[in-house]
Amino acid sequence: MKKSLIIYLFLSLSMFAFSKKAPISTSCLQTEMRVNPKGLDCITPRLSWEISSEARDVQQLCYHVLVSSSLDKLNQDEGDLWDSGLVTSNQSVYIPYGGQALASRMKCYWKVKVKTNQGTTSWSEPSNWEMGLMHPTDWQALWIGRSFPADKLVGKTSVPARYVRKSFYLKTKKVQKATLYVSGLGFYEAFLNSQKLGDQVLAPTPTDYSKSVKYNTFDVTGNLSGDENVIGVVLGNGRYSTMRMPGVRHFGLPCLLAQLEVVYEDGDRDLIATDTSWKITADGPILANSEFDGEAYDARKEMPGWNTSGFDDQSWLQAELVTAPGGRMEAQLNRNIKIMDTVKPIALNELGNGAYVLDMGQNMVGWLRMQVKGERGDQVKLRFAELLQKDGTLYTANLRSADCTDTYIMKGTSPETWEPTFTYHGFRYVELTGFREKPSLADFEGQVIYDEMELTGKWVTSDTLLNRIYQNSYWGIRSNYRGMPTDCPQRDERMGWLGDRAVGSQGESYMFNNHLLYAKWLDDIEQAQKEGGAVPDVAPNYWDVCTDNMTWPGAYLIIANMLYEQFGDLAPIVKHYDSMKKWMYYMKDKYMVDHIMTKDNFGDWCMPPESPELIHSKDPSRITEAAVLGTTFYYHLSGLMSRFATLVGHAQDADAFQQEALAVKDAFNTKYFHADAGYYGNNTVTANILSLRFGMVPEQYQQAVFANIVEKTMKDFNGHVSTGLVGIQQLMRGLSDYGRSDLAYQIATNRTYPSWGYMVDKGATTIWELWNGDTADPAMNSANHVMLLGDLIVWNYGYLAGINNTPGSVGFKHITLKPYPVKGLGSVKASFRSVHGEIKSDWRKEQGHFLWNITVPCNTSAKVYVPVTDAKMDRKEQRLLEKEGAKFVGVENRYAVFDFPSGSYSLKTRYAE
Ligand code: RAM
């Protein structure tokens, strides 16, 4: 049979029917597309747009941006703030605003028009952004709060929620605009005339409040009344009043800063700002609230109408001025947490003694909304846990000291509906007690919460186990977004451990638009940096864990690089360059001995242990020496620093880091490389894979080192994962890069210990902290950690589906589509919404053919690696492709390589495994 390679043209008729859809959004320093923020406080917002068209080969040649002070002006094409003119450029993301200086509170309207090689678009739909309070002097509000006798400040914190209110009257003239700027620490929920503002929960985003405090901005023009108005705010403890364990940072009692600015149509203004005229009580229904221990709510203490007009607040106290948290007030750019999903329970089991256990069917993070019947004063208790014991009761040992319990006391208007406000739990099971009658499944709904971010990736294959692992990863990743990436959502920890998310953040970035969250986290890391340059292992530093480590803090640089590669955003590198450099020199000066970085702290964490009950392996042959981890990382990070230095224009630094890297490589090879046997250190897979992937292995030895990786994995680990947390971040890609995708696939689909499939078979619906999570000590055994994913998700998208930046390109401006069609896997269907638009790679093997649908977004192009059976490209097939606009580049291994312009294509090649 003749080999055929056919490209089907998608939607070819609309070749010149150029449809534009720009701009989607505006943005600012740490910004993304599709953003329309309120309250930007940076002086140079950046503008991005996405070009979409059904035509192929659409490339932007020029752009023209207009920014106006009013919509009317914009509609009349008057860019009174900025008229960029026609700019010759193919850049469509992060165009810095270049107009008149922007002042606090300004609202800016903008649109864009682009000239492409296929014609010029009309003006896009208008978009807008609003400047926030850019200067400290913009704030007239004062921090208020006060202490109450009910506050228990020792041992496990118990501080009741504060209810704060302010009644006010406006002038009797028409309001043009009213804006509320608010920050309530640890958490706030704000109301204006009883209407809740926004759909965020657990806001604002957590920070080191002594360094920065985030505020949120609401347009409340429509919420005002012509008569008495009332602002009501409930304050929870969050991470501000968290002195629940020794060593956990406590900032102070809940406090509030709020400023309502009213502009009348005649230009007159009014300001209602927090001060001692505001009233406060702690005698409301939320008796206690803690992220770790849960919430206690007494519905009998509800205060109907407290957040609206006509309420008698005489028994409330005057608010007091409190010490400000100390941090800089900053507009919050990363998204708040929201209820993003709901889960219906699947079973309710009776335990006897009036106790029931509800099974959500999924280990999830959030809380339970319930409907409950009973009588006034009935106390209903909900205890949350991830796992059950053999007898069907909750397994809580792995929660350590976290109580994870919500209590609801009924007011007597049965049935009553309730959900907590200032807590969340990581759970699959809920023990219910205090119910008068057996509740029904329909009375409960799980509320899934995490940072509001766009789901950008979809990935599904013909392999049900791989799909299940992907689903577990998806649940695990979103379970651990809490305004910071947390290690776990259930026990008394929930901290932003740096090492857990280094390469993981890249995998996550295919699934979620986590750009702003990670940009914010880099700020947290910088704020946690010590005077002398040390970067801690946890940020924000609610726990002060600073061990002068190399691997965990390395995430600072790795994630800055990730944001540049995946989102094309250079700003974090520019912003953090000095701090990153300072850290590198700090480590070098303190711990570098003869170009060997002698210091690392946690080792190759969570290496699969030799026996089921161990948390950490004690077998010396599994342990990678600290200096091997430290030095390979130092080398890798020096390379990144050299790249960053070039990018930010510090040529001398670039050179110095480069020189340093070379010296480190030489010293490392001299000290740790066993040339005769082709391995590093004590021949752990981690030592070898880090050296190989980071480019430290002399070329002539690369195959030998790789052979040792394979041999060790096969012999000592029987084709299973053979590294801990540090090594696994390189493992899957390393195996594929050297031609053993089959082994990577085997590791990915194993069902026996240690493997992700083992977790699945043991009933996991998320990813465990330990490979032996079912048998290990509960002292450190979360059932919802994502660090063991390593580079699996990067491999899923970047290798199996084959969606990557072409080396040298960032933000997927130039894409490489190169799938790895491993034997035994029938199909992969993936899509990823990059900053330039949606990229698709959807392949399947069918009757001796490789069928592949691809999409390359407008204003990008792709190098496409078409799998072919042998190392030859049929001339006829080549011509067919060229007819579609592809340019033949050559044949590489088992791929025919083509340059493709933007567009959607269907490819079909003869293919044999
Ligand atoms: C534990 C957690 C966390 C890890 C640290 C070192 O507390 O497992 O994920 O990064 O240890």
Side-chain angles (χ1 to χ4, degrees):
M1 235 199 307
K2 221 172 58 171
K3 269 188 275 162
S4 64
L5 178 73
I6 306 162
I7 302 251
Y8 299 100
L9 196 67
F10 271 130
L11 309 158
S12 57
L13 291 178
S14 52
M15 195 74 172
F16 290 99
F18 193 88
S19 81
K20 52 96 199 70
K21 190 171 87 178
I24 307 294
S25 68
T26 69
S27 50
C28 178
L29 191 65
Q30 304 87 349
T31 196
E32 58 175 359
M33 309 190 54
R34 302 176 278 275
V35 179
N36 189 11
K38 284 196 189 340
L40 289 186
D41 59 4
C42 66
I43 49 173
T44 314
R46 295 177 301 158
L47 309 178
S48 304
W49 53 90
E50 189 180 303
I51 304 164
S52 56
S53 169
E54 288 165 356
R56 288 176 171 174
D57 188 16
V58 178
Q59 299 297 330
Q60 176 183 302
L61 303 174
C62 309
Y63 67 79
H64 187 176
V65 172
L66 289 182
V67 184
S68 311
S69 58
S70 76
L71 192 55
D72 275 355
K73 285 189 176 144
L74 190 73
N75 287 339
Q76 285 158 29
D77 297 346
E78 191 193 328
D80 61 329
L81 294 177
W82 187 38
D83 184 337
S84 73
L86 200 62
V87 180
T88 305
S89 165
N90 66 1
Q91 193 187 337
S92 52
V93 292
Y94 315 119
I95 306 296
Y97 168 81
Q100 283 181 33
L102 298 170
S104 293
R105 309 174 182 86
M106 254 166 86
K107 190 154 181 177
C108 307
Y109 299 83
W110 72 286
K111 59 185 179 182
V112 64
K113 183 183 195 153
V114 299
K115 188 176 163 197
T116 76
N117 55 339
Q118 304 280 4
T120 301
T121 69
S122 46
W123 287 110
S124 66
E125 287 300 310
S127 186
N128 65 75
W129 79 86
E130 193 175 314
M131 300 307 290
L133 302 181
M134 298 166 75
H135 313 290
T137 48
D138 288 325
W139 286 95
Q140 317 240 323
L142 302 167
W143 283 98
I144 58 168
R146 68 177 291 151
S147 65
F148 289 90
D151 297 344
K152 181 177 160 261
L153 304 180
V154 282
K156 279 195 177 175
T157 318
S158 176
V159 173
R162 275 56 170 146
Y163 297 77
V164 187
R165 78 188 295 275
K166 170 72 183 174
S167 152
F168 62 95
Y169 292 85
L170 294 174
K171 296 181 186 120
T172 52
K173 44 188 177 182
K174 208 144 186 256
V175 171
Q176 188 195 65
K177 189 161 188 268
T179 312
L180 180 73
Y181 304 93
V182 59
S183 187
L185 302 179
F187 296 138
Y188 75 87
E189 200 165 57
F191 302 84
L192 182 55
N193 297 330
S194 80
Q195 301 243 310
K196 189 184 160 184
L197 303 178
D199 54 3
Q200 72 286 349
V201 297
L202 307 177
T205 206
T207 51
D208 173 346
Y209 306 102
S210 70
K211 300 276 171 59
S212 83
V213 175
K214 303 290 184 184
Y215 67 89
N216 299 146
T217 306
F218 299 97
D219 182 342
V220 294
T221 318
N223 301 67
L224 288 171
S225 115
D227 200 6
E228 186 193 3
N229 285 288
V230 173
I231 300 174
V233 182
V234 198
L235 297 174
N237 300 318
R239 297 289 168 110
Y240 194 71
S241 316
T242 347
M243 59 297 203
R244 65 171 316 289
M245 285 192 312
V248 177
R249 198 131 167 240
H250 169 65
F251 293 86
L253 290 171
C255 53
L256 173 68
L257 186 79
Q259 179 160 313
L260 173 68
E261 299 190 359
V262 179
V263 182
Y264 296 96
E265 281 198 335
D266 62 3
D268 194 8
R269 289 169 177 267
D270 255 327
L271 182 81
I272 290 91
T274 40
D275 60 18
T276 52
S277 71
W278 290 49
K279 304 291 287 281
I280 185 167
T281 184
D283 201 16
I286 302 180
L287 306 178
N289 66 93
S290 148
E291 274 185 66
F292 302 102
D293 297 327
E295 185 163 306
Y297 188 95
D298 187 345
R300 294 171 306 183
K301 293 173 80 76
E302 282 175 358
M303 304 168 290
W306 72 275
N307 53 11
T308 191
S309 59
F311 180 79
D312 179 4
D313 64 12
Q314 274 196 20
S315 65
W316 291 34
L317 300 174
Q318 293 305 136
E320 290 173 358
L321 297 187
V322 297
T323 312
R328 210 178 85 91
M329 294 305 298
E330 288 171 349
Q332 182 181 326
L333 290 185
N334 61 305
R335 298 294 173 275
N336 269 317
I337 300 169
K338 252 179 64 171
I339 295 172
M340 299 292 284
D341 204 351
T342 55
V343 174
K344 296 268 182 221
I346 56 166
L348 182 74
N349 298 320
E350 204 158 347
L351 290 179
N353 291 333
Y356 306 89
V357 167
L358 193 66
D359 180 359
M360 305 306 293
Q362 170 65 51
N363 197 8
M364 57 164 278
V365 173
W367 54 74
L368 207 58
R369 183 200 300 245
M370 67 167 178
Q371 201 193 58
V372 52
K373 297 186 198 98
E375 286 174 19
R376 186 174 171 84
D378 281 2
Q379 183 170 312
V380 169
K381 237 188 195 74
L382 314 174
R383 285 173 66 226
F384 297 81
E386 294 182 298
L387 302 157
L388 292 182
Q389 315 204 73
K390 284 210 176 78
D391 64 0
T393 58
L394 298 188
Y395 175 80
T396 55
N398 74 335
L399 304 176
R400 305 200 300 221
S401 74
D403 288 344
C404 309
T405 302
D406 290 348
T407 308
Y408 178 76
I409 303 173
M410 297 188 64
K411 57 189 164 192
T413 58
S414 180
E416 293 168 29
T417 303
W418 180 76
E419 65 193 293
T421 310
F422 295 133
T423 191
Y424 69 85
H425 311 286
F427 67 102
R428 170 170 172 171
Y429 301 99
V430 193
E431 182 201 82
L432 312 169
T433 50
F435 287 73
R436 278 180 187 259
E437 45 186 89
K438 184 174 180 180
S440 81
L441 283 182
D443 295 336
F444 303 97
E445 190 182 67
Q447 311 293 303
V448 177
I449 59 142
Y450 58 98
D451 300 35
E452 181 185 9
M453 47 176 93
E454 186 191 352
L455 184 71
T456 43
K458 288 196 193 117
W459 186 91
V460 66
T461 72
S462 54
D463 188 310
T464 48
L465 178 61
L466 271 189
N467 296 345
R468 181 68 240 182
I469 294 166
Y470 182 83
Q471 278 309 309
N472 286 11
S473 314
Y474 165 72
W475 274 95
I477 290 164
R478 58 188 194 151
S479 289
N480 282 297
Y481 283 148
R482 204 80 43 230
M484 57 179 160
T486 54
D487 63 334
C488 59
Q490 73 297 81
R491 68 177 177 226
D492 56 0
E493 185 160 355
R494 313 183 193 192
M495 292 290 172
W497 282 96
L498 270 63
D500 297 20
R501 308 305 268 270
V503 168
S505 69
Q506 188 188 340
E508 295 165 25
S509 75
Y510 279 105
M511 299 166 91
F512 294 98
N513 188 337
N514 57 17
H515 180 189
L516 294 177
L517 174 71
Y518 275 105
K520 179 260 179 191
W521 202 37
L522 294 186
D523 294 345
D524 293 333
I525 296 171
E526 185 176 51
Q527 287 169 10
Q529 185 172 29
K530 306 281 178 197
E531 274 292 303
V535 168
D537 301 303
V538 170
N541 71 340
Y542 304 125
W543 269 1
D544 195 8
V545 190
C546 195
T547 60
D548 282 354
N549 194 354
M550 201 63 222
T551 42
W552 264 240
Y556 188 24
L557 282 67
I558 292 169
I559 292 172
N561 193 53
M562 180 285 280
L563 292 174
Y564 183 51
E565 296 258 332
Q566 297 292 102
F567 297 98
D569 189 1
L570 182 63
I573 292 176
V574 174
K575 188 174 186 185
H576 294 280
Y577 180 80
D578 289 341
S579 307
M580 297 189 291
K581 178 179 161 186
K582 188 173 178 184
W583 173 63
M584 289 292 282
Y585 277 101
Y586 166 81
M587 290 302 289
K588 181 183 162 188
D589 292 348
K590 206 162 169 193
Y591 300 105
M592 192 78 102
V593 179
D594 298 333
H595 299 293
I596 296 294
M597 174 47 69
T598 56
K599 186 71 169 34
D600 189 73
N601 192 59
F602 297 113
D604 194 16
W605 194 247
C606 297
M607 174 78 196
E610 51 284 8
S611 64
E613 71 295 339
L614 282 179
I615 290 179
H616 296 298
S617 172
K618 292 183 175 149
D619 170 4
S621 77
R622 293 174 192 237
I623 294 170
T624 305
E625 194 183 318
V628 169
L629 297 175
T631 310
T632 49
F633 258 66
Y634 195 87
Y635 174 79
H636 176 54
L637 299 175
S638 296
L640 288 185
M641 280 312 294
S642 178
R643 179 188 201 194
F644 297 169
T646 306
L647 288 166
V648 304
H650 294 316
Q652 272 189 354
D653 283 6
D655 198 43
F657 279 113
Q658 189 64 39
Q659 294 309 322
E660 175 71 30
L662 289 175
V664 167
K665 181 163 137 178
D666 279 352
F668 181 68
N669 279 319
T670 307
K671 179 149 190 200
Y672 289 104
F673 188 49
H674 303 277
D676 46 338
Y679 66 77
Y680 285 83
N682 58 343
N683 194 22
T684 58
V685 170
T686 293
N688 291 331
I689 198 109
L690 295 182
S691 309
L692 198 57
R693 282 272 307 163
F694 293 164
M696 300 178 87
V697 185
E699 212 183 322
Q700 69 271 30
Y701 294 112
Q702 288 173 1
Q703 287 305 332
V705 171
F706 185 69
N708 273 317
I709 290 170
V710 173
E711 195 188 286
K712 186 97 175 172
T713 302
M714 295 312 296
K715 255 171 90 185
D716 293 7
F717 295 87
N718 194 19
H720 289 70
V721 55
S722 47
T723 64
L725 162 57
V726 180
I728 202 167
Q729 298 184 35
Q730 307 297 332
L731 185 64
M732 304 298 283
R733 293 173 296 167
L735 291 172
S736 276
D737 283 350
Y738 285 84
R740 291 302 305 268
S741 290
D742 61 319
L743 180 52
Y745 182 56
Q746 182 184 334
I747 289 172
T749 52
N750 276 327
R751 306 197 90 117
T752 41
Y753 173 81
S755 66
W756 299 293
Y758 175 78
M759 300 178 191
V760 168
D761 284 352
K762 293 286 175 183
T765 54
T766 41
I767 304 294
W768 295 342
E769 179 173 21
L770 302 174
W771 295 106
N772 52 340
D774 55 332
T775 51
D777 191 320
M780 197 196 88
N781 197 350
S782 134
N784 202 353
H785 245 68
V786 288
M787 62 188 184
L788 293 188
L789 285 172
D791 67 352
L792 178 68
I793 308 290
V794 183
W795 185 74
N796 285 348
Y797 279 91
Y799 285 68
L800 289 186
I803 302 174
N804 271 301
N805 271 303
T806 300
S809 154
V810 295
F812 296 87
K813 178 84 174 122
H814 195 275
I815 302 156
T816 288
L817 292 173
K818 182 182 183 184
Y820 285 67
V822 289
K823 215 173 183 170
L825 187 62
S827 69
V828 175
K829 182 176 181 168
S831 65
F832 162 57
R833 181 123 191 249
S834 73
V835 291
H836 286 98
E838 183 143 89
I839 304 168
K840 283 189 189 153
S841 169
D842 169 9
W843 61 257
R844 64 182 196 278
K845 297 171 192 161
E846 206 176 87
Q847 295 168 347
H849 287 90
F850 188 80
L851 294 107
W852 193 16
N853 297 324
I854 59 170
T855 298
V856 179
C858 290
N859 207 26
T860 72
S861 52
K863 201 165 266 316
V864 177
Y865 287 71
V866 184
V868 285
T869 308
D870 50 37
K872 272 198 221 118
M873 184 65 210
D874 182 282
R875 289 301 291 268
K876 263 192 214 150
E877 293 171 343
Q878 185 182 323
R879 271 199 296 276
L880 264 174
L881 278 162
E882 283 165 346
K883 252 194 188 163
E884 303 293 346
K887 273 201 199 79
F888 181 60
V889 180
V891 174
E892 269 181 40
N893 300 324
R894 292 186 65 193
Y895 294 97
V897 188
F898 291 85
D899 281 330
F900 270 73
S902 73
S904 291
Y905 307 86
S906 275
L907 289 69
K908 187 176 180 184
T909 47
R910 275 222 345 172
Y911 183 76
E913 295 198 308

